[in-house]
Amino acid sequence: GDLALCYEIGRYACDVNLTTLYRIFFRIGSVPFIIRRAAAAWRVNYDRGEMQVVAQSDDGVHLRVAGVPAPHRAHCLSVKGWIVRAAEISGGDVFQIVERCKLLGDAECELELRWRKKAR
């Protein structure tokens, strides 16, 4: 009904679809490094659109998904879950998530995350 499972599926996909090599990069790379790579890999997984890093710092990132002709809320939620989990795996304790979505009336589909670095 509310598509909340789509967010959890995105998180799950981040965990299970990482090969050993990629998991090593996630463990040793910083959150901004991993998020930049994830945005660049968009085209490997999707035929249309792109994920743009609008702004980033050591403790936050602003992402925009552009050029997807017919976005679906289930997809937006799964991307959100994947990005949040990627930040967690790479050492971030995500404490703030701001989502904007065209399907909810916003001008663009965007995610803003803020995190604290976890003690390892």
Side-chain angles (χ1 to χ4, degrees):
D2 67 358
L3 300 177
L5 184 59
C6 297
Y7 175 83
E8 296 303 326
I9 289 171
R11 291 178 58 81
Y12 178 77
C14 187
D15 280 324
V16 300
N17 292 333
L18 293 178
T19 64
T20 303
L21 177 62
Y22 285 117
R23 190 163 293 279
I24 291 169
F25 282 115
F26 272 65
R27 297 278 184 211
I28 62 173
S30 68
V31 178
F33 172 83
I34 295 303
I35 300 295
R36 278 194 315 273
R37 295 307 172 277
W42 178 274
R43 291 184 184 214
V44 172
N45 296 299
Y46 303 105
D47 293 337
R48 297 235 173 134
E50 64 180 325
M51 181 176 283
Q52 305 163 343
V53 178
V54 176
Q56 77 175 46
S57 65
D58 289 339
D59 66 349
V61 68
H62 179 173
L63 300 168
R64 177 178 298 134
V65 175
V68 177
H72 192 282
R73 187 72 185 130
H75 181 250
C76 294
L77 289 168
S78 68
V79 169
K80 177 181 173 182
W82 196 98
I83 291 292
V84 170
R85 184 64 184 137
E88 292 170 351
I89 291 172
S90 52
D93 181 14
V94 177
F95 67 88
Q96 183 180 32
I97 306 167
V98 176
E99 178 189 19
R100 293 174 197 86
C101 182
K102 286 182 176 182
L103 299 169
L104 299 176
D106 294 303
E108 301 286 341
C109 292
E110 299 179 324
L111 275 176
E112 291 184 47
L113 301 180
R114 301 262 338 264
W115 59 80
R116 291 177 198 87
K117 189 173 180 179
K118 290 182 193 174
R120 292 192 183 204

